[in-house]
Amino acid sequence: MGVPQIWELLRPLLIDNRVPLKKFVVDFKTGHGRPPRIAIDGYSWIFECGFVLSQDTPKKYASHGTMAKAVLNFIHRLKEFLALDVTFMLVFDGNMKPSFKKNFDSHGASLENDYLKTWNAHIRCHEQLGHCLKLSSIGEDSDFMQVIKRILDSMRISYVEACGEGEAQCAWLQCQGYVDYVLSNDSDTLVFGCGRMLRNCSKFTSDIGVSGNSPQAKQASSRELFVTVIDLNELQACTADRYNWWSLLFFSVILGADYNHGVKGMGKTKAAKLAQLRDPDFALQFRRLFGDLKNTCRDSDYEHFQEKVIQYCRANSVELFGRNYRAMLGEVSLEGWPSKTAVMYYFHPVLIPAMDLSVFDKANLNINGNVNYQSLDFKKLKEFLVTFKLPAVANFDGWYAETMQEPFVLRHILTNREQLTDYMQVTDEKTLILGGKFTLPCLKVRYRPYISFFITNQSPRKSQSPTKRKRSENEYKYSLWIPQDLIPPNNVLLQRWNRTKNTKSPSPKKQKFSPQKNTLDDFLRKHTSPIKTPLSTHRSEVVLEPVKKKLFVDEGECNDSEDDSLIILGEVQLKDNKPS
């Protein structure tokens, strides 16, 4: 979990950094010419999907009643990232985490060489045996990890099993340039040196994670995934270097994190003041003490550093904290500093000595541009998933067909084959408004089954009098909105849509009045009502007599005419000038 107070420090600087995930991918691809590469803290997903009931008790997993829901959430998350055609890598925790993590009382004092002994033994094990010092076999995995790994292996999604902390391995991947961002909610990701990360991937427009349950979070919910983008270099630039990874690390050590309780008398406000000081720069001095793995500091150097920090706080408490803390900052304040071994685990977490780069091989479907999804064993995966009796899935066959095809629609479009128009078409376009302020031009792509496993010989269902739109929906059963900027302009589907759009004739304007007329129209136009017509000052010499109508005409009077319409017999002129 790290130190939640780090997010309190950074929150004012991250107000405008909450963006839709799709827009983040589009903007990155526009600026870099390729989709982003993301390392995902696997434990964060395990917890948010519901496999683990508590972050503090990871051994308690959801094996009774909630495993099916967790599996459904996990499949949905994989689908979201596959559908954007980004490169992503799940990284899971290993067994080389410190034994004293979150159990500080049993740790006590450590010898100076404890960490180095463990590190050297770990390196030798990798060199001689090719695996981690504390390697767990498949049979030792918890039930939920076996399920997760089976799903990933069935879908050919590669993942990394770290030696120690998963967040530390993610940070290393980002620092070495193998990925662009780390997706995690753990502040330790920054403490371990990560420079760019994505936080709180959820459907909340505010910086809240999946587990957010406040009324404000529910009101600000969205249908789209949002992420908070953190770039440590940008934070340093806008805060005059107050925030860097060693200052955040020093803040965590003083306040207390996963490996220590924290220094007595130092709350988050005092710890933040000390970590952000530049004259003297205690955070940088702390880094110089422990930053070099080969030249570890002596006990006396570490004790001298602690005493120097306390003495400075006593002498400058008013300037630092706004109050005189001389009495509070007594000798007892020296208690609570982490041991040298614990500090070494902060600065030098146990990592994989030689990274197996085959996880980035193009054969894996989680790597951008892979189009080998046709070769997946969909039948075997279906037989495995159906055993969970997934909740809220009434029609499993229909759900499975759509869920397994939607992740690869964009990749199928990007192949740009001429045959695309046989089973895919663009039918609509619109600009989506995400979060009330982000615009994203999108295309609606309708498609029929294009993966051989799901193609059947059944003809599409036809309605009695289908409209053009209804025929399209019957023939192209599935649909998906895709950001327009993810599809190249020369794509055959996009070119066909542009031709169709340009050749569409405009719809005729509606007539304000009906063009149809009957035999009474002319008569009423000639003889308007005297009530509605203003009286003339000149009396007319000719006054019309009321019209005599004959509703029934004898057969002899018809003159053999077949017209049975209303007959006007005639008009009579009155001789006197009296008004009618």
Side-chain angles (χ1 to χ4, degrees):
M1 291 182 62
V3 182
Q5 289 83 353
I6 285 182
W7 303 127
E8 295 180 22
L9 288 178
L10 299 181
R11 184 170 290 114
L13 305 173
L14 304 176
I15 295 177
D16 298 327
N17 290 28
R18 188 77 174 163
V19 297
L21 177 62
K22 288 182 179 178
K23 180 170 177 56
F24 166 78
V25 173
V26 168
D27 292 345
F28 188 95
K29 185 175 182 180
T30 303
H32 296 79
R34 60 170 177 82
R37 300 171 303 211
I38 304 172
I40 300 173
D41 178 10
Y43 185 76
S44 294
W45 272 24
I46 289 173
F47 173 70
E48 292 177 347
C49 290
F51 290 104
V52 178
L53 300 181
S54 172
Q55 286 186 317
D56 297 325
T57 55
K59 292 183 179 179
K60 293 183 179 180
Y61 50 87
S63 61
H64 302 287
T66 57
M67 178 71 85
K69 184 177 180 181
V71 169
L72 187 63
N73 292 336
F74 188 65
I75 293 290
H76 180 73
R77 289 198 167 207
L78 292 176
K79 183 184 72 171
E80 292 279 357
F81 278 76
L82 287 170
L84 291 173
D85 193 28
V86 300
T87 293
F88 66 95
M89 189 72 52
L90 277 85
V91 182
F92 299 108
D93 291 348
N95 295 319
M96 288 290 292
K97 291 185 287 187
S99 59
F100 52 85
K101 182 177 181 179
K102 299 183 180 179
N103 190 18
F104 319 121
D105 296 334
S106 64
H107 173 54
S110 298
L111 297 175
E112 180 179 353
N113 295 326
D114 278 357
Y115 176 85
L116 288 179
K117 287 181 178 179
T118 302
W119 176 264
N120 292 330
H122 175 244
I123 297 297
R124 285 195 302 270
C125 188
H126 272 276
E127 291 175 349
Q128 297 173 7
L129 303 177
H131 60 70
C132 188
L133 182 63
K134 296 182 180 179
L135 181 66
S136 63
S137 62
I138 297 296
E140 294 177 358
D141 279 337
S142 55
D143 289 356
F144 70 86
M145 280 306 302
Q146 293 185 37
V147 170
I148 290 172
K149 289 180 179 179
R150 182 167 178 179
I151 292 173
L152 294 175
D153 291 338
S154 299
M155 298 182 68
R156 281 214 315 276
I157 296 176
S158 59
Y159 53 90
V160 176
E161 293 184 86
C163 293
E165 303 278 10
E167 313 94 85
Q169 194 66 52
C170 286
W172 182 87
L173 289 170
Q174 192 275 324
C175 291
Q176 297 299 317
Y178 292 107
V179 298
D180 303 298
Y181 286 86
V182 173
L183 176 62
S184 176
N185 296 338
D186 198 326
S187 62
D188 278 350
T189 308
L190 294 174
V191 172
F192 288 133
C194 177
R196 290 185 293 182
M197 67 179 292
L198 305 174
R199 164 176 152 84
N200 281 336
C201 182
S202 67
K203 293 185 178 180
F204 294 120
T205 56
S206 52
D207 190 15
I208 300 174
V210 173
S211 57
N213 52 11
S214 64
Q216 294 83 1
K218 293 180 181 179
Q219 293 174 1
S221 61
S222 169
R223 293 184 178 182
E224 295 289 336
L225 286 174
F226 278 70
V227 291
T228 301
V229 183
I230 302 173
D231 191 322
L232 211 54
N233 290 330
E234 292 182 358
L235 294 180
Q236 285 182 245
C238 68
T239 59
D241 290 339
R242 290 170 58 198
Y243 294 104
N244 45 50
W245 78 266
W246 57 89
S247 65
L248 294 176
L249 189 156
F250 188 54
F251 172 78
S252 300
V253 167
I254 296 175
L255 193 60
D258 289 349
Y259 301 158
N260 69 302
H261 279 303
V263 179
K264 279 192 175 182
M266 293 290 175
K268 64 179 181 181
T269 303
K270 298 186 184 69
K273 290 282 187 179
L274 284 175
Q276 295 172 9
L277 275 177
R278 288 296 172 263
D279 186 20
D281 194 335
F282 289 121
L284 182 59
Q285 295 177 26
F286 192 61
R287 177 190 180 185
R288 289 171 178 169
L289 282 175
F290 296 96
D292 191 346
L293 179 62
K294 297 179 181 179
N295 299 319
T296 57
C297 70
R298 295 173 296 179
D299 290 338
S300 58
D301 295 335
Y302 187 32
E303 292 174 0
H304 176 69
F305 172 78
Q306 297 173 26
E307 182 64 27
K308 187 165 58 173
V309 172
I310 297 301
Q311 291 296 337
Y312 184 85
C313 291
R314 289 175 186 167
N316 301 275
S317 62
V318 177
E319 293 82 357
L320 274 176
F321 314 124
R323 288 182 58 184
N324 189 346
Y325 287 103
R326 287 180 179 272
M328 187 179 295
L329 296 171
E331 293 297 328
V332 71
S333 298
L334 291 175
E335 297 180 2
W337 286 87
S339 66
K340 289 175 56 178
T341 300
V343 176
M344 291 297 287
Y345 274 102
Y346 281 121
F347 274 97
H348 307 284
V350 178
L351 302 171
I352 302 174
M355 183 73 184
D356 182 9
L357 299 181
S358 65
V359 293
F360 293 98
D361 193 277
K362 282 287 187 179
N364 304 310
L365 288 180
N366 53 304
I367 307 302
N368 157 254
N370 185 294
V371 292
N372 296 324
Y373 39 82
Q374 293 279 2
S375 60
L376 289 181
D377 193 342
F378 291 101
K379 181 179 180 182
K380 186 176 181 180
L381 179 60
K382 180 180 179 181
E383 291 173 351
F384 176 64
L385 292 179
V386 77
T387 60
F388 290 97
K389 298 180 180 179
L390 302 176
V393 178
N395 179 7
F396 181 85
D397 289 342
W399 170 85
Y400 185 72
E402 184 172 6
T403 301
M404 289 296 115
Q405 292 187 98
E406 186 173 304
F408 310 113
V409 170
L410 177 58
R411 301 189 188 195
H412 206 68
I413 293 173
L414 295 179
T415 60
N416 204 23
R417 302 190 187 101
E418 290 294 336
Q419 294 82 1
L420 283 175
T421 55
D422 295 338
Y423 35 83
M424 286 185 176
Q425 65 175 358
V426 178
T427 60
D428 198 3
E429 64 178 5
K430 69 177 178 180
T431 299
L432 301 180
I433 308 298
L434 308 178
K437 61 178 181 179
F438 299 100
T439 59
L440 188 64
C442 292
L443 298 172
K444 187 174 186 178
V445 178
R446 300 200 68 90
Y447 61 96
R448 66 179 73 173
Y450 62 92
I451 296 178
S452 57
F453 179 81
F454 302 102
I455 296 176
T456 62
N457 294 325
Q458 297 178 356
S459 59
R461 185 180 61 184
K462 296 182 179 180
S463 58
Q464 293 180 353
S465 55
T467 61
K468 184 177 181 181
R469 180 176 180 179
K470 191 66 178 178
R471 288 196 303 271
S472 175
E473 292 177 356
N474 287 338
E475 186 176 358
Y476 300 88
K477 184 178 180 181
Y478 309 105
S479 65
L480 181 66
W481 285 99
I482 298 178
Q484 183 171 345
D485 290 336
L486 295 182
I487 303 177
N490 64 343
N491 188 270
V492 293
L493 292 183
L494 195 55
Q495 289 182 342
R496 183 175 181 180
W497 163 247
N498 289 331
R499 289 195 301 268
T500 304
K501 181 177 59 175
N502 294 332
T503 55
K504 283 184 178 180
S505 58
S507 57
K509 295 182 179 180
K510 294 183 179 180
Q511 297 286 343
K512 293 184 178 180
F513 302 100
S514 173
Q516 297 181 353
K517 298 181 180 180
N518 53 42
T519 54
L520 289 178
D521 288 335
D522 292 335
F523 173 74
L524 294 176
R525 187 163 49 251
K526 293 178 180 179
H527 309 291
T528 56
S529 171
I531 297 176
K532 295 182 180 180
T533 305
L535 293 176
S536 174
T537 55
H538 174 71
R539 290 192 177 186
S540 174
E541 295 296 332
V542 179
V543 180
L544 294 178
E545 187 182 40
V547 177
K548 296 180 181 180
K549 305 175 182 178
K550 189 171 183 180
L551 299 180
F552 300 97
V553 183
D554 294 335
E555 184 176 356
E557 299 175 10
C558 293
N559 297 324
D560 297 329
S561 173
E562 295 181 358
D563 185 9
D564 57 354
S565 60
L566 186 66
I567 298 176
I568 307 300
L569 295 181
E571 297 178 353
V572 179
Q573 180 176 345
L574 297 181
K575 295 181 179 180
D576 55 355
N577 293 332
K578 295 181 180 181
S580 172

